[in-house]
Amino acid sequence: MRKVLIIGLDSAPAEIVFDRRKEFPVLNRLIEGGRFGTMRSSDPPITIPAWMVMSTGKDAGRLGLYGFRHRTGPTYDKMWIATAQSINEPAIWDIIGQAGGQSVLVSVPPSYPARPVAGQRIGCFITPGADKDYTYPKELKAELEEKFGPYMFDVPFRIENRAEILREIYRMTEKRFEVLHYLMRTKPWNLFMFVEIGVDRVQHAFWKFHDKTHHLYEPGNAFETAIIDYYKFVDQKIGALLNEAGDDTVVLAISDHGAKRMKGAFCVNEWLIAQGDLVLGAAPARGANIEKTPIDWARTKAWGWGGYYARIFLNVEGREPKGIIKPADYEREREALAERLRSIRGPAGEPWATQVIKPNEYYDDARGDYPDLMVYFDDLYWRSAGTLGWGTMYLEENDTGPDDAVHAQHGMYILYDPRSKASVRKDIDITDVAPTVLRAIGLPIPADMKGTPLR
Amino acid sequence: MKKEFTAVSLPTSLYREIEDAVRGTADPSVANYIAKVLRESLKKGGSTEEVFSPEDEEKVKDRLKALGYID
Ligand SMILES: [Zn+2]
């Protein structure tokens, strides 16, 4: 088995990694000696499920993972959070393990609880805290903490103090790479994979300071170079790690989706109210959560959830507790709503490139708790706000925290094989990644992986 | 995306029974119903297992909210 190192840069877009490559000497060296391009991410292009779609080679429908949370059956107010337990398909490390190989996996979402693996595993940012068992094997936690102190899974994002967020992101990444070096030196591995979530965090917190086309950009601001400076820092860290990875190791630097400027947040439930699909039982407080707002279910046809994309649920007779849409009318109602969603325009009347997905038709094999519709407002430039009581449908900023960026459908990858150096640009799909890694390692590709290995 | 299908045989009586059961529901397709029931029964472990204590779940939800993943 050959060794493969996967460098996960959560949310890193081609527009930064490729377009500004001269500023990142290590990544640039990989680009100039490797295959690289955009990677079309999963639907939805969200951290969960994207990393697992990549690692299993199965789409989100097959995994039954449509985001971080899911509605529990046809209920109005119950939901479950996706965890490592929610994954029922074998990932590349399971296949490697069966073949007798070892993997080191650091913070690949979702990896809490830290399920057993042939090798070592450290939890990701859905780990509730460092007081939990967040490693496999269990003893690895004490081994690491003795040397490096408590692991940092994420940075607190609620604080409006951006300088503090930035300091914490650097501290987290610094610590992660200390742990990575240690694991790389001391543990046996055929696959070594980690996800640096700091890339995503720095982009969400600083995009408006960085992107001149962002509606809140201010020229000459104090954080103008925060994102690029952090990339330079990560680039250096990757360089040091590569020095220890071995001369014959195949290196894959990859993101789970891209990022771009957020144009605003669209209040999907305010829109549904205006359309007559959603009827409230009482006037909502400003920013009220839909789950905590009384709804007149006898007159409600649909309601929605927020996030980087919208999930729409229909209130169907015989399915929801107080459903009113007759089953025979379901498809007609759903299509009519989809059509109305597609024709939504922006605050200045500008047309949007909104995409509406019917999960049960779109996925090859849709499983689990999928919504009736998934909506990418204006090609994801507008996030979805599920909260109520804003008095407008269009918010300039995120309704739930400091956030200037949204996800983009395309991420990026660089595949560097020291045995066959070439600088070749080729765009791929996220389902191509697992077969590509298995081929690089020298293992057979399971027949039910639909992607094509990159040559 | 192109879907691939395969055929299985069922006793006609069972087929008719399912047909009656799904008639007038949101999705009156017998094939979809059978696929759904089989997926449920194939599901191993998964989301029903308790991973978070109620306090931890709130903590994680608040974090995901602040990060913009959920609202
Ligand atoms: Zn991500």
Side-chain angles (χ1 to χ4, degrees), chain A residues 10-11 46-47 51 197 200 256-257 407, chain B residues 69:
Chain A
D10 198 289
S11 200
I46 312 290
T47 310
W51 287 111
I197 198 70
D200 177 83
D256 55 336
H257 49 76
H407 289 188
Chain B
Y69 292 119

Side-chain angles (χ1 to χ4, degrees), chain A residues 118-434:
Chain A
Q120 331 280 319
R121 189 197 306 257
I122 301 181
C124 71
F125 64 90
I126 61 158
T127 307
D131 55 320
K132 305 289 167 192
D133 286 328
Y134 59 83
T135 64
Y136 180 85
K138 230 174 165 166
E139 306 75 53
L140 179 63
K141 175 185 170 181
E143 185 183 335
L144 295 174
E145 290 193 349
E146 194 194 313
K147 293 185 171 60
F148 310 107
Y151 188 74
M152 275 180 80
F153 300 100
D154 209 333
V155 292
F157 230 56
R158 199 168 288 278
I159 39 179
E160 247 311 322
N161 184 345
R162 307 255 172 159
E164 168 121 26
I165 295 180
L166 194 56
R167 268 198 303 278
E168 288 293 292
I169 293 173
Y170 273 89
R171 201 162 72 82
M172 168 176 71
T173 302
E174 190 78 63
K175 252 178 188 289
R176 179 147 31 246
F177 275 85
E178 284 176 8
V179 169
L180 294 174
H181 276 273
Y182 173 76
L183 294 172
M184 191 169 264
R185 276 197 306 268
T186 59
K187 311 294 177 193
W189 56 273
N190 303 92
L191 172 69
F192 192 108
M193 177 173 183
F194 70 94
V195 171
E196 181 48 73
I197 198 70
V199 180
D200 177 83
R201 303 303 185 246
V202 84
Q203 289 176 170
H204 281 296
F206 295 95
W207 200 271
K208 77 172 174 212
F209 303 98
H210 147 93
D211 183 348
K212 293 179 175 57
T213 63
H214 194 286
H215 62 290
L216 299 174
Y217 172 79
E218 287 172 22
N221 72 76
F223 297 115
E224 185 115 36
T225 61
I227 292 177
I228 298 301
D229 288 345
Y230 174 77
Y231 268 85
K232 290 179 187 168
F233 166 75
V234 171
D235 188 64
Q236 259 176 28
K237 294 276 167 205
I238 294 170
L241 197 64
L242 289 178
N243 288 337
E244 296 193 53
D247 293 342
D248 192 41
T249 299
V250 176
V251 180
L252 175 65
I254 193 162
S255 56
D256 55 336
H257 49 76
K260 56 188 181 184
R261 73 184 196 274
M262 182 183 80
K263 289 187 181 172
F266 183 68
C267 302
V268 62
N269 286 317
E270 299 278 9
W271 180 83
L272 287 167
I273 291 169
Q275 292 280 310
D277 297 286
L278 171 60
V279 182
L280 301 185
R286 190 178 162 82
N289 199 291
I290 181 88
E291 277 84 33
K292 290 176 185 137
T293 305
I295 292 172
D296 184 351
W297 291 111
R299 293 194 290 157
T300 289
K301 285 185 174 180
W303 76 102
W305 278 4
Y308 293 110
Y309 80 98
R311 281 183 256 200
I312 308 280
F313 306 99
L314 299 190
N315 195 24
V316 183
E317 190 184 286
R319 192 183 74 175
E320 273 68 22
K322 296 175 185 168
I324 62 163
I325 293 177
K326 298 263 181 276
D329 299 335
Y330 173 80
E331 205 42 66
R332 192 172 48 74
E333 292 275 2
R334 182 165 74 149
E335 179 49 36
L337 178 55
E339 199 41 53
R340 281 184 284 138
L341 285 160
R342 280 185 216 107
S343 62
I344 292 174
R345 286 170 173 262
E350 73 278 16
W352 276 1
T354 297
Q355 194 186 337
V356 182
I357 291 173
K358 297 176 178 173
N360 63 326
E361 293 175 7
Y362 182 76
Y363 297 105
D364 204 31
D365 183 6
R367 302 184 176 197
D369 294 320
Y370 47 82
D372 294 292
L373 295 171
M374 295 165 48
V375 188
Y376 303 168
F377 289 117
D378 195 18
D379 190 25
L380 299 162
Y381 274 113
W382 285 79
R383 57 176 287 124
S384 165
T387 51
L388 293 153
W390 297 106
T392 172
M393 288 177 205
Y394 306 95
L395 300 176
E396 234 191 16
E397 300 192 62
N398 180 10
D399 57 331
T400 56
D403 198 349
D404 320 319
V406 290
H407 289 188
Q409 186 72 60
H410 288 82
M412 66 86 212
Y413 81 96
I414 309 163
L415 180 71
Y416 176 86
D417 182 346
R419 288 189 201 170
S420 70
K421 289 190 197 171
S423 193
V424 180
R425 172 130 198 179
K426 185 175 192 282
D427 299 337
I428 63 167
D429 188 81
I430 192 166
T431 54
D432 299 332
V433 176

Side-chain angles (χ1 to χ4, degrees), chain A residues 47 68-69 83 85 88 113 125 127-128 132 158 201 306 308 327 360-361 363-367 383 386 400, chain B residues 1-3 24-26 39 44 46-47 49 51-52 56 59-60 62-71:
Chain A
T47 310
F68 280 82
R69 61 169 166 173
T83 68
Q85 295 291 29
N88 294 316
F125 64 90
T127 307
K132 305 289 167 192
R158 199 168 288 278
R201 303 303 185 246
Y308 293 110
N360 63 326
E361 293 175 7
Y363 297 105
D364 204 31
D365 183 6
R367 302 184 176 197
R383 57 176 287 124
T400 56
Chain B
M1 230 176 280
K2 193 180 145 283
K3 292 200 184 198
T25 65
R39 280 181 196 124
K44 314 160 204 104
S47 56
E49 268 171 64
V51 170
F52 299 122
D56 286 343
K59 208 196 271 183
V60 171
D62 281 346
R63 205 186 291 161
L64 295 177
K65 216 172 269 185
L67 290 165
Y69 292 119
I70 69 175
D71 66 0

Side-chain angles (χ1 to χ4, degrees), chain A residues 430-444:
Chain A
I430 192 166
T431 54
D432 299 332
V433 176
T436 297
V437 171
L438 290 175
R439 171 172 285 183
I441 286 190
L443 288 173

Side-chain angles (χ1 to χ4, degrees), chain B residues 1 5 9-11 15-16 20 22 27-28 33-34 38-39 42 54 56 58 63-64 67:
Chain B
M1 230 176 280
F5 292 95
S9 302
L10 285 183
Y15 186 90
R16 299 254 181 276
D20 289 343
V22 297
D27 186 352
Y33 177 80
I34 294 172
L38 291 181
R39 280 181 196 124
L42 281 174
D56 286 343
E58 280 314 302
R63 205 186 291 161
L64 295 177
L67 290 165

